[in-house]
Amino acid sequence: MSTLLLNLDFGEPPPKKALEGNAKHRNFVKKRRLLEQRGFLSKKNQPPSKVPKLHSEPPKKGETPRVDGTWKTPSFPKKKTAASSNGSGQTLDKKTAVSWVTPAPSKKADSVTAKVDLLGEFQSALPKISSHPTQSQKKDLQKKSSKKNHPQKNAPQNSTQSHSENKCSRAFQKLPQKMVAIDCEMVGTGPKGHVSSLARCSIVNYDGDVLYDEYILPPCQIVDYRTRWSGIRKQHMVNATPFKIARGQILKMLTGKIVVGHAIHNDFKALQYFHPKSLTRDTSHIPPLNRKADCPENATVSLKLLTKKLLNRDIQAGKSGHSSVEDAQATMELYKLVEVEWEEHLVQNPPKD
């Protein structure tokens, strides 16, 4: 028998060509070969419309697991064209099979050009997912939002002048409600009537309305009524309020308020009371008021003269004596003439108690 020599070609694959392209492409080809070796990309077992995921991820809402370990993903949008290897466009639909997912073997499958086109098709068909912000981006967003919500938090402080103007404006709004004017009439008690004791007290508000007006009986015997100046007579003391009771009523009205008066230290002395200097306005020691009346700034001008020059009104006229209500109203009107200027001065130069 003659010897038969068989030359069988088992179809050994040609030697693999060296991978070409950029790093991203080479990484994609390596992963694809690995999946092909494990059988995940087999032509017979893999349905054409199912796309296996390259990385194991937890299931998302609406996805269901499959037997081969992959997850069912939602279909791609309708009517999107992806460039094929030969340059022609194909329309993608939910029901139509996507041929590029499991490409059939062809003569040009091993060529570099086919692999590059396959990668482009795969990336172009994937749905666009908005990337989540990183930690640094989150911090930047928080800083921007905090600046919008608090625009003045990091703003520089205002100047001293603007701060004082705001303070003055707030003070002016509260003045009418917290300001009163007072005037007292005294009689003589003690040895030879040289001690001045309270016999009448009148308090008016910012608008001149009478808040309090009472005759007051001194604790000591009256020696001199001083009727020519005080207007007090003996009959006024018959039903007068005792000093202790009247003093408590008056101090309740003065506490916490700005008190205006002319030579007001005499009134406080008769009341046996000390009022804070920051809440006291004495029209006998206000330089702007003297300037308006063409008088020396440091001079102590009488209430009668200031009222005549600035208000063109006569008070304390005749021999019947003074009216504490009339004097208190005139004092408040005089103060209102220089209120804004004097309050600004006091804000910048607050008096010390």
Side-chain angles (χ1 to χ4, degrees), residues 236-267:
H236 294 147
M237 296 293 105
V238 175
N239 296 320
T241 306
F243 174 77
K244 188 175 182 180
I245 297 174
R247 181 177 181 275
Q249 296 171 348
I250 295 168
L251 297 189
K252 281 184 179 179
M253 302 183 71
L254 300 184
T255 303
K257 290 184 176 144
I258 298 175
V259 182
V260 182
H262 194 83
I264 198 171
H265 61 280
N266 295 324
D267 301 326

Side-chain angles (χ1 to χ4, degrees), residues 123-293:
Q123 291 179 347
S124 62
L126 288 177
K128 294 183 180 180
I129 301 175
S130 59
S131 59
H132 297 283
T134 60
Q135 293 290 338
S136 60
Q137 292 176 349
K138 288 182 179 178
K139 290 181 181 179
D140 294 339
L141 292 175
Q142 290 176 357
K143 288 181 181 179
K144 291 180 181 179
S145 61
S146 64
K147 287 182 180 179
K148 290 181 180 179
N149 295 333
H150 306 284
Q152 298 179 351
K153 192 172 183 180
N154 297 326
Q157 296 292 334
N158 293 331
S159 62
T160 307
Q161 183 177 0
S162 61
H163 178 70
S164 61
E165 289 177 357
N166 294 335
K167 193 173 181 180
C168 288
S169 62
R170 291 195 299 268
F172 294 154
Q173 293 175 0
K174 297 179 181 179
L175 283 182
Q177 299 177 356
K178 297 185 64 177
M179 183 172 287
V180 294
I182 188 173
D183 187 76
C184 298
E185 302 297 341
M186 272 74 82
V187 295
T189 61
K192 297 182 181 182
H194 292 316
V195 178
S196 296
S197 297
L198 185 65
R200 184 183 179 184
C201 180
S202 300
I203 301 175
V204 299
N205 63 9
Y206 187 80
D207 298 323
D209 301 326
V210 179
L211 302 177
Y212 184 89
D213 182 29
E214 294 289 338
Y215 289 101
I216 300 167
L217 181 64
C220 301
Q221 185 179 359
I222 299 175
V223 177
D224 185 3
Y225 283 93
R226 304 178 184 177
T227 305
R228 182 178 177 183
W229 298 278
S230 65
I232 305 297
R233 291 174 174 79
K234 189 175 182 178
Q235 60 267 25
H236 294 147
M237 296 293 105
V238 175
N239 296 320
T241 306
F243 174 77
K244 188 175 182 180
I245 297 174
R247 181 177 181 275
Q249 296 171 348
I250 295 168
L251 297 189
K252 281 184 179 179
M253 302 183 71
L254 300 184
T255 303
K257 290 184 176 144
I258 298 175
V259 182
V260 182
H262 194 83
I264 198 171
H265 61 280
N266 295 324
D267 301 326
F268 290 152
K269 185 178 180 180
L271 284 166
Q272 300 176 11
Y273 170 67
F274 175 80
H275 198 68
K277 289 184 180 179
S278 59
L279 298 178
T280 302
R281 308 291 186 265
D282 192 345
T283 53
S284 66
H285 294 90
I286 298 181
L289 196 59
N290 288 7
R291 287 198 300 267
K292 282 183 174 290

